[in-house]
Amino acid sequence: MVVLVSRSGRHLQRYNKGRRQVVGCIPYRYKDNFDLSMADEDAFEVLLISPQRKGKGLLFPKGGWEKDETIEVAARRETIEEAGVCGDIEGKLGTWYFENKNGDTAYEGHMFPLLVNEELDLWPEKDIRERFWMSVQEARKLCQQGWMKEALEMLVSRLTSQRRRTKIDLFSRINRGSGGHGTVLCLGCRAQVLTPPPPSPAEEA
């Protein structure tokens, strides 16, 4: 069950050496119509949200990590509260240290990928935020925070490396022969069937 009320207050907020600890996610999904000929980063898109103050660019969902929750639970909660999406949390992208624009508050930020499998029609901050699916290229231009852009590049590097390894392994198996059966490759939301070429006359003989 999804709780449709945001947490408020900072009495449970975690700090590390004076830095407020915040966690968030980069929600992503694979495109329905992608194929293996696409550039690797064109195979998926990411979700950004508007900030509470309009006209400040876009960002990925994030917020305070509290003492009564694990870091993964906090990342998932903030993503539901701010972006209204659910999915599978994957391995952490990294840790970043930064300050607010005034330089009077220091932060320790942790970011995770979240492979989205559900978009909620109602979520706690629906009335104060908008959400936007877009390409990686668009996200690079519109994301307002430098440390989040670095996290995005970490995600792109990870997903494209995984995709290249999958393609190499796939075609290696096809080249070794698959007994005349098609090979099914499952990537994101779509399965592609690749059928190996028919045997040559010499092989049939």
Side-chain angles (χ1 to χ4, degrees), residues 153-176:
E153 295 306 323
M154 295 291 292
L155 174 62
V156 170
S157 177
R158 179 184 297 182
L159 294 182
T160 54
S161 294
Q162 290 174 351
R163 191 162 182 261
R164 289 176 190 138
R165 288 196 299 269
T166 299
K167 287 194 288 187
I168 290 171
D169 178 66
L170 171 67
F171 289 116
S172 175
R173 285 187 281 120
I174 290 177
N175 288 336
R176 290 197 302 267

Side-chain angles (χ1 to χ4, degrees), residues 60-105:
F60 296 112
K62 68 101 177 73
W65 177 16
E66 300 192 347
K67 296 176 181 178
D68 63 342
E69 56 190 355
T70 66
I71 191 170
E72 292 85 1
V73 167
R76 191 187 306 274
R77 172 181 57 76
E78 288 292 343
T79 303
I80 292 173
E81 288 180 357
E82 295 188 352
V85 293
C86 306
D88 299 322
I89 292 275
E90 299 173 345
K92 190 169 76 169
L93 294 168
T95 301
W96 286 264
Y97 301 94
F98 57 97
E99 296 179 347
N100 64 357
K101 290 184 178 180
N102 296 328
D104 56 8
T105 305

Side-chain angles (χ1 to χ4, degrees), residues 36-179:
L36 292 175
S37 65
M38 281 184 172
D40 289 321
E41 69 178 38
D42 291 337
F44 60 93
E45 52 192 3
V46 295
L47 182 72
L48 282 85
I49 59 173
S50 61
Q52 291 183 334
R53 295 182 180 180
K54 303 300 182 183
K56 298 290 185 179
L58 300 177
L59 65 158
F60 296 112
K62 68 101 177 73
W65 177 16
E66 300 192 347
K67 296 176 181 178
D68 63 342
E69 56 190 355
T70 66
I71 191 170
E72 292 85 1
V73 167
R76 191 187 306 274
R77 172 181 57 76
E78 288 292 343
T79 303
I80 292 173
E81 288 180 357
E82 295 188 352
V85 293
C86 306
D88 299 322
I89 292 275
E90 299 173 345
K92 190 169 76 169
L93 294 168
T95 301
W96 286 264
Y97 301 94
F98 57 97
E99 296 179 347
N100 64 357
K101 290 184 178 180
N102 296 328
D104 56 8
T105 305
Y107 295 90
E108 176 186 292
H110 307 267
M111 291 295 284
F112 294 81
L114 183 135
L115 179 57
V116 174
N117 56 33
E118 182 181 5
E119 292 185 53
L120 304 176
D121 294 325
L122 297 174
W123 67 96
E125 299 189 14
K126 175 181 173 64
D127 293 336
I128 60 175
R129 296 186 190 272
E130 295 180 88
R131 59 188 181 190
F132 307 92
W133 284 105
M134 64 186 66
S135 68
V136 170
Q137 186 175 5
E138 291 173 312
R140 288 189 179 109
K141 296 177 181 178
L142 296 176
C143 182
Q144 65 168 326
Q145 299 189 9
W147 71 281
M148 287 189 172
K149 290 183 179 181
E150 292 181 10
L152 174 61
E153 295 306 323
M154 295 291 292
L155 174 62
V156 170
S157 177
R158 179 184 297 182
L159 294 182
T160 54
S161 294
Q162 290 174 351
R163 191 162 182 261
R164 289 176 190 138
R165 288 196 299 269
T166 299
K167 287 194 288 187
I168 290 171
D169 178 66
L170 171 67
F171 289 116
S172 175
R173 285 187 281 120
I174 290 177
N175 288 336
R176 290 197 302 267
S178 58

